[in-house]
Amino acid sequence: MKNKEKPTVVWFQAITCNGNTHSLLSANSNRLELFFDSFNLIYHPSLTIDKSLDDILNSNSKIDFLLVEGSISNNKKFFQISNNSTYNHLTKLIKKATYVISVGSCASFGGIHAMFKEHVGVKSVKEYFDKTLLKHQIINLGGCPVHPEWLLQTMFLLKDYGRIALDNEGRPKELYSSLVHHGCTRNEYFEWKVEGEFGTKEGCLFYDQGCRGPMTHGSCNKILWNDVSSKTRAGMPCVGCTEPTFPRDDMLNTKKNIGIPFEVPLGIPKRAYLSITGVAKTFKIDRLNKKLMD
Amino acid sequence: MENALKLFSQKGFYNTTIPDIAKAMKMSVGNMYNYFSSKEELAKYAIKYSTNILALELREINNMEISSKEKVSIFVNKYLENVQKSPEVIEYFLRVYLSNREVFKQGCEGFLCVGEFVTEVMILLDTGAQNKEFREQEFFPAFAMIMGCLGGFAFLSGEKVLDKDLLEYSDAVADNIYRALKYEE
Ligand code: SF4
């Protein structure tokens, strides 16, 4: 990790549960190795590394990639690291950085910590630092936690090409332009309105279990977790963790009016959705109502 | 098309022949076959045609900026007006579509031929529930409450057992439907 050619990376942890760190460490081992071979991670509070946060703060060296995990607060009484608020630390760090990447939902959108009204001043990185002059605007990698591969792809893309296209929420389009619904193995059940249950292989989790796949941007079902699975593949509804609206109340329940979903898939007018699904629901397709395996 | 509906609902599906219909539609039998390959096809087209009349009316009502209670009341009124003015439209549904399911089994499965109308009923219910005017319940009981009630009234009218003019019942029917759907604290 001492190679000067490699871009330097600082991982700053603010108000967080550590989930994104765990996620990174669970990355495909070849890819993680490639990451450590290609970047110089000079600071991470959970890893054994020579430097302390103070060393980084007091040094004049530039940081190529500043990765932020967790939401930010300017209130020292509420949360502090080394006798200072996360906001003050980040103000210093951001000035040194070329790229700032918010890793996970808390850093990107405030996440669960910003949800409570008592948590005044707990915000996302972008809410505090949007006006900061950076070479690149702050990149939001929504996800609770973020998929390790999304972080790695973003880093490699910036390292090699210096830029990345972002959507309106500051998320890389490459990773967040399609919906979690894409690539879900339950699509056929969705089409024919066959309801599913938690943990089973059959049925769609949109109708009762609150699946947000059709309204959530992310590639969970295209870039699989641990290379093999995803929430919906395993029978757990998508909870929409990549969106600024996460977390919502009552996430495992589909809000309905008279049996009609309150929200319909993104970009489809409700009347059109109802007219198609109303027809589809009246079909009984034996194959889809049977167990895949007895 | 109304003439075809009339014939079907008066004589029944099986007793109506293509020449009868061609005659009623002032067409030659040959020309008739240019449009519909069989009596079954014509019957399917007719059900789409008749329910689309209702769908369009209900869509207009759904697009109005009024309470759901008022929507129910206007819709019931329009429906009963249809029963009175063009009984063939409703009778076709009751006497042909509902009683000859085998004819519609292929190509009109489920809601396929009546989808537009069912969609409008869904929108009516959905909007009402979203505005907390209707209570939360399952779709089919709510749907059957509206349509069963209206169908029943059309039947009573067709059987000529009602002692008053059909439209005089409009408010009472609408009120019953509204009460069955209404939001409860
Ligand atoms: S389970 Fe969710 S993501 Fe999968 S098909 Fe159903 S709605 Fe889409």
Side-chain angles (χ1 to χ4, degrees):
Chain A
M1 284 200 224
K2 292 272 154 72
N3 187 342
K4 277 217 160 63
E5 297 294 298
K6 295 183 200 170
T8 52
V9 180
V10 166
W11 184 296
F12 177 68
Q13 274 193 329
I15 309 170
T16 173
C17 71
N18 221 13
N20 296 287
T21 294
H22 279 278
S23 177
L24 176 71
L25 297 176
S26 310
N28 168 312
S29 57
N30 291 330
R31 300 280 293 158
L32 194 61
E33 218 175 295
L34 184 66
F35 169 71
F36 285 122
D37 286 346
S38 314
F39 293 88
N40 186 9
L41 181 61
I42 55 173
Y43 173 73
H44 190 302
S46 307
L47 302 179
T48 315
I49 281 180
D50 317 336
K51 290 187 188 335
S52 69
L53 181 59
D54 282 340
D55 293 340
I56 302 288
L57 289 167
N58 297 328
S59 141
N60 289 327
S61 329
K62 291 284 293 170
I63 301 167
D64 293 309
F65 289 89
L66 173 63
L67 309 183
V68 185
E69 176 181 19
S71 37
I72 309 302
S73 165
N74 57 7
N75 185 346
K76 252 173 75 175
K77 284 193 198 110
F78 181 71
F79 189 87
Q80 58 176 296
I81 299 170
S82 292
N83 296 324
N84 217 335
S85 72
T86 48
Y87 171 78
N88 286 340
H89 286 314
L90 202 52
T91 309
K92 286 189 193 152
L93 291 171
I94 276 189
K95 286 186 189 140
K96 304 172 192 283
T98 307
Y99 300 109
V100 177
I101 303 179
S102 296
V103 182
S105 290
C106 296
S108 299
F109 308 117
I112 194 158
H113 313 289
M115 192 185 140
F116 303 96
K117 62 176 190 314
E118 297 81 3
H119 291 189
V120 187
V122 175
K123 295 178 186 173
S124 70
V125 176
K126 208 167 180 161
E127 279 170 301
Y128 271 124
F129 297 99
D130 210 19
K131 302 283 177 295
T132 318
L133 281 176
L134 286 164
K135 189 172 158 201
H136 202 289
Q137 57 173 302
I138 293 166
I139 294 164
N140 286 330
L141 295 181
C144 187
V146 72
H147 194 305
E149 188 60 27
W150 302 355
L151 172 61
L152 298 183
Q153 282 195 17
T154 305
M155 303 270 295
F156 278 105
L157 214 76
L158 289 172
K159 175 178 166 288
D160 295 340
Y161 298 101
R163 61 199 164 89
I164 193 167
L166 302 177
D167 70 8
N168 291 339
E169 302 294 345
R171 302 170 295 195
K173 282 189 182 167
E174 185 70 27
L175 299 159
Y176 293 85
S177 54
S178 60
L179 302 177
V180 171
H181 189 58
H182 290 173
C184 178
T185 47
R186 296 165 192 271
N187 277 184
E188 204 184 3
Y189 296 102
F190 175 85
E191 267 172 60
W192 298 105
K193 293 198 79 167
V194 180
E195 290 166 22
E197 279 171 40
F198 284 101
T200 57
K201 286 189 198 315
E202 303 83 6
C204 170
L205 308 162
F206 178 72
Y207 303 107
D208 268 325
Q209 282 77 24
C211 184
R212 302 283 297 174
M215 306 90 158
T216 302
H217 295 90
S219 15
C220 298
N221 273 312
K222 299 207 292 192
I223 302 174
L224 298 177
W225 289 76
N226 299 111
D227 294 338
V228 290
S229 198
S230 69
K231 273 199 177 65
T232 63
R233 287 186 184 208
M236 158 77 191
C238 166
V239 291
C241 73
T242 55
E243 296 293 335
T245 47
F246 175 83
R248 294 162 301 110
D249 289 338
D250 207 7
M251 287 195 287
L252 303 181
N253 191 16
T254 306
K255 191 171 177 312
K256 280 179 282 194
N257 291 317
I258 314 211
I260 299 162
F262 175 65
E263 280 179 84
V264 300
L266 266 189
I268 302 175
K270 197 156 199 179
R271 182 174 266 116
Y273 172 82
L274 292 181
S275 115
I276 292 166
T277 52
V279 169
K281 183 143 179 75
T282 54
F283 284 84
K284 273 265 167 306
I285 300 164
D286 283 347
R287 180 171 56 82
L288 296 179
N289 283 289
K290 274 207 254 170
K291 282 260 172 221
L292 289 169
M293 284 183 272
D294 291 321
Chain B
M1 196 32 77
E2 275 93 4
N3 290 337
L5 292 177
K6 222 178 257 171
L7 268 183
F8 271 134
S9 36
Q10 279 163 7
K11 297 176 83 170
F13 176 77
Y14 291 103
N15 293 332
T16 309
T17 63
I18 287 265
D20 290 342
I21 299 166
K23 203 169 141 203
M25 288 174 89
K26 297 195 178 66
M27 265 189 196
S28 72
V29 173
N31 195 16
M32 189 88 212
Y33 277 109
N34 282 337
Y35 292 102
F36 306 102
S37 58
S38 64
K39 201 165 75 170
E40 278 77 8
E41 285 311 305
L42 174 62
K44 284 174 206 164
Y45 180 81
I47 189 64
K48 281 188 201 152
Y49 175 89
S50 58
T51 50
N52 280 1
I53 295 178
L54 293 175
L56 283 178
E57 282 183 356
L58 185 51
R59 178 180 294 201
E60 253 176 50
I61 298 169
N62 277 337
N63 287 339
M64 291 177 178
E65 303 265 332
I66 50 173
S67 70
S68 296
K69 187 177 181 185
E70 286 169 291
K71 286 182 187 169
V72 168
S73 147
I74 298 177
F75 176 58
V76 169
N77 201 269
K78 289 231 170 201
Y79 184 94
L80 296 182
E81 263 176 31
N82 271 316
V83 173
Q84 207 165 46
K85 280 198 207 122
S86 354
E88 65 282 358
V89 172
I90 311 294
E91 298 225 331
Y92 181 77
F93 182 83
L94 294 175
R95 295 183 202 273
V96 182
Y97 180 67
L98 292 187
S99 342
N100 300 282
R101 296 302 303 141
E102 66 286 357
V103 175
F104 298 91
K105 218 158 58 198
Q106 262 182 16
C108 266
E109 296 94 337
F111 285 160
L112 205 51
C113 291
V114 293
E116 287 198 35
F117 176 65
V118 176
T119 302
E120 293 309 323
V121 178
M122 282 178 164
I123 300 267
L124 174 76
L125 290 170
D126 183 54
T127 317
Q130 248 175 66
N131 300 340
K132 289 245 179 318
E133 279 193 75
F134 295 157
R135 76 192 147 86
E136 186 47 37
Q137 59 172 307
E138 277 186 54
F139 172 71
F140 286 120
F143 178 78
M145 185 57 230
I146 302 179
M147 295 323 295
C149 188
L150 292 178
F153 240 79
F155 174 79
L156 293 178
S157 165
E159 294 299 305
K160 306 207 178 349
V161 294
L162 299 174
D163 45 10
K164 286 194 267 182
D165 181 69
L166 182 61
L167 288 177
E168 286 186 39
Y169 294 98
S170 178
D171 287 347
V173 175
D175 193 46
N176 276 349
I177 294 178
Y178 175 70
R179 280 169 192 244
L181 301 173
K182 141 173 153 227
Y183 186 79
E184 287 155 352
E185 287 298 335

